[in-house]
Amino acid sequence: MGRKVAFIAALFGALALVGPAQARVEVQWWHAMSGVLGDRLNELVEKFNKSQEKYTVVAVAKGNYDEVTNGVIAAYRAKRPPEMVQIAERGYMTMLLSGAIVPVQDLVEQKGYKIDFSDFIKPVASFWSYKGRMSAMPFNSSTPIFWYNKDHFQKAGFDKPADTWQELEKQLYTIKSKGISECGTVLPGDFYWSLLENYSAINNQPYGTLANGFDGLGSEFVYNKTKVVSQVARLKKWLDDGVMQIAGQGFSPEQLFTSGRCSTFVNSTASHGNIERNATINWSATFLPHESDINPPLNSTIGGGAIWVMKGHTSERYEAVAAFLDFVAQPETQVWWHGATGYVPATNRAYAVARERGYYKDHPTREIAVLQLSRGTPNENSRGFRFGNFVQTMLAQRQEVEAVFAGQKQPQQAMDDAVKRGNEILRQFEKLNAGKTPETERP
């Protein structure tokens, strides 16, 4: 008995010398990524968790962007929000005015991290910033680029797609008339983003007043008075002539392109992973075309999402969040994420590292998005879009364009109706958020 007591005392003594094991601080990150991109996100989180011993980030897939947004709103009202949440760019104004977020630049600086926010690529930084301060951490930033079937263009006698919409149209009609492919192009599922919004930015067309919403909630849509109307008419003509197809019957737009059925496809640079894995064709990609009377074309704008930090957590957990955000912003992380997914590196330093390593010699199409985003100096028409209830206004516009495709409306009437419906939605958002100020302006 005495010997047993002595052993236990010795054991506790030894443990006392070692000291209690440091428990890792755990934080949650709700996100909207699935499939291959979801796998890469989990891999990123695993890299962070293994890089240090103090914090654990738990990535939780919560469905698509709308489902994540609705979920975090419900969780915040129930006083159980995650520490971090990934929100798409269309939710920027909702998050900024929610009163539920902690601006990321304020947080990481308070926690002593030295992220160079001035080094983020301009359209990326300007979109996620309010009055020069980063509201959310850019994460999966993308922009649409022009994908094409190299063999189809060569068979038609072209080296590559033309730079302008006018010359590209001639090429697509030639490909169709020679029977090289079933269709010249396929309508992307998010055509409102790639073929209307980014079309406006690249061709220096205003989309809304007050600098596309950057200068206040009183903005109104004006794209019914710009080249967007003729762009919709062009797409309708291509559809009627069989040069453009709309996906359906179990096939996605991407599948119609990667199978060789359609010769071109406008889609996010983040499609690189899927296209590299699934395409059975000799493909390449280039810049989005521009109108022949617009020279030089401006930069495209970003899509994708950012990491927002939610209110209501302890200082200890915000230490973990700040450490993770610092990890995400590091050039090595950005270069890895860029190569693994096709999303653009968010910082100029990360882009420079990728170039120095010769990454783009083997992956030239992955540089197109960076070059297109960085082209020239963003102005009021190309900085991005900052409208309240932007998902709802987009859905109204989409319905009107689809009415054109169905032969129910003329392009001008449809865009007039889309703008009228969109402005009514903007006024609802303005009324609901009257008097609210972003977190960075609160005392």
Side-chain angles (χ1 to χ4, degrees):
M1 182 67 180
R3 187 177 291 180
K4 184 176 180 181
V5 171
F7 171 76
I8 293 174
L11 177 62
F12 276 97
L15 291 174
L17 288 174
V18 172
Q22 183 69 43
R24 294 172 73 104
V25 177
E26 183 176 299
V27 296
Q28 287 201 357
W29 176 25
W30 290 8
H31 67 86
M33 307 193 86
S34 59
V36 175
L37 294 176
D39 292 341
R40 298 291 83 76
L41 182 148
N42 289 330
E43 195 173 343
L44 173 74
V45 168
E46 187 176 352
K47 285 176 180 287
F48 170 73
N49 290 340
K50 289 182 176 178
S51 71
Q52 42 73 45
E53 297 180 345
K54 295 177 66 177
Y55 312 116
T56 298
V57 171
V58 178
V60 182
K62 285 287 184 177
N64 60 32
Y65 279 124
D66 290 341
E67 291 167 337
V68 172
T69 301
N70 293 333
V72 78
I73 290 172
Y76 185 76
R77 288 172 177 168
K79 302 186 184 306
R80 292 184 300 178
E83 286 79 9
M84 296 178 285
V85 61
Q86 178 195 26
I87 299 291
E89 86 282 358
R90 290 177 193 277
Y92 181 86
M93 289 304 296
T94 298
M95 295 299 288
L96 184 70
L97 297 174
S98 66
I101 61 102
V102 179
V104 298
Q105 189 164 349
D106 293 355
L107 176 67
V108 297
E109 289 177 357
Q110 288 169 5
K111 297 302 181 184
Y113 291 94
K114 306 294 184 184
I115 297 175
D116 184 3
F117 287 100
S118 66
D119 187 48
F120 281 75
I121 292 173
K122 285 181 181 177
V124 176
S126 62
F127 186 86
W128 295 111
S129 298
Y130 180 77
K131 294 192 173 181
R133 303 277 295 175
M134 201 75 84
S135 308
M137 177 61 72
F139 178 59
N140 53 314
S141 299
S142 64
T143 200
I145 61 177
F146 194 85
W147 305 80
Y148 67 98
N149 187 313
K150 294 171 67 174
D151 292 340
H152 288 183
F153 275 77
Q154 289 170 2
K155 286 180 181 177
F158 307 117
D159 292 333
K160 62 179 184 178
D163 294 335
T164 68
W165 283 102
Q166 286 74 15
E167 292 302 314
L168 174 67
E169 181 173 84
K170 295 176 183 176
Q171 292 178 329
L172 297 183
Y173 273 75
T174 298
I175 290 172
K176 173 70 176 177
S177 65
K178 290 186 175 181
I180 295 171
S181 70
E182 188 175 316
C183 64
T185 192
V186 56
L187 185 74
D190 55 0
F191 65 85
Y192 43 87
W193 175 60
S194 53
L195 296 179
L196 302 182
E197 295 168 9
N198 270 283
Y199 168 88
S200 295
I202 287 173
N203 290 287
N204 199 17
Q205 303 293 297
Y207 213 71
T209 60
L210 298 179
N212 284 346
F214 274 71
D215 290 346
L217 296 181
S219 176
E220 294 187 341
F221 291 116
V222 295
Y223 56 76
N224 61 327
K225 302 174 184 176
T226 73
K227 292 179 183 290
V228 163
V229 178
S230 57
Q231 171 75 337
V232 173
R234 173 185 289 139
L235 297 176
K236 169 61 172 170
K237 177 176 180 292
W238 288 6
L239 184 64
D240 290 345
D241 293 343
V243 170
M244 183 179 79
Q245 282 192 8
I246 297 177
Q249 298 181 331
F251 291 98
S252 70
E254 187 175 293
Q255 288 171 323
L256 292 185
F257 172 68
T258 56
S259 66
R261 189 163 149 186
C262 296
S263 299
T264 67
F265 177 45
V266 174
N267 205 33
S268 167
T269 184
S271 298
H272 266 100
N274 281 339
I275 290 178
E276 288 170 346
R277 186 176 62 257
N278 300 326
T280 58
I281 60 174
N282 183 20
W283 63 270
S284 188
T286 187
F287 298 87
L288 291 179
H290 59 87
E291 297 292 343
S292 57
D293 60 347
I294 301 295
N295 197 18
L298 301 183
N299 61 283
S300 58
T301 66
I302 66 162
I307 304 172
W308 292 83
V309 179
M310 302 299 296
K311 278 185 175 178
H313 298 287
T314 64
S315 178
E316 185 181 42
R317 293 193 175 192
Y318 284 132
E319 293 278 358
V321 170
F324 180 66
L325 296 177
D326 181 65
F327 174 81
V328 169
Q330 292 303 310
E332 285 297 331
T333 307
Q334 288 289 318
V335 170
W336 177 84
W337 180 244
H338 174 45
T341 65
Y343 285 115
V344 298
T347 64
N348 293 303
R349 178 57 190 150
Y351 171 55
V353 170
R355 283 184 60 85
E356 290 166 2
R357 294 176 180 173
Y359 178 73
Y360 299 115
K361 291 181 180 177
D362 295 328
H363 306 88
T365 58
R366 292 188 179 234
E367 190 175 19
I368 293 167
V370 184
L371 297 174
Q372 190 173 261
L373 280 168
S374 305
R375 188 167 55 193
T377 301
N379 67 16
E380 290 187 350
N381 295 333
S382 68
R383 191 167 25 162
F385 308 92
R386 191 167 286 179
F387 302 109
N389 288 337
F390 200 17
V391 173
Q392 290 91 326
T393 64
M394 173 272 291
L395 290 174
Q397 182 197 52
R398 179 173 186 150
Q399 290 173 350
E400 296 297 337
V401 174
E402 289 172 346
V404 175
F405 293 159
Q408 298 167 347
K409 289 187 179 183
Q410 293 298 311
Q412 184 63 64
Q413 184 60 56
M415 291 302 92
D416 287 345
D417 292 345
V419 163
K420 181 181 178 182
R421 293 172 62 185
N423 286 339
E424 289 172 354
I425 295 170
L426 289 181
R427 298 290 71 78
Q428 292 169 5
F429 185 85
E430 182 182 21
K431 183 178 180 181
L432 183 65
N433 290 279
K436 292 183 179 178
T437 54
E439 201 64 42
T440 52
E441 290 188 335
R442 292 174 188 174

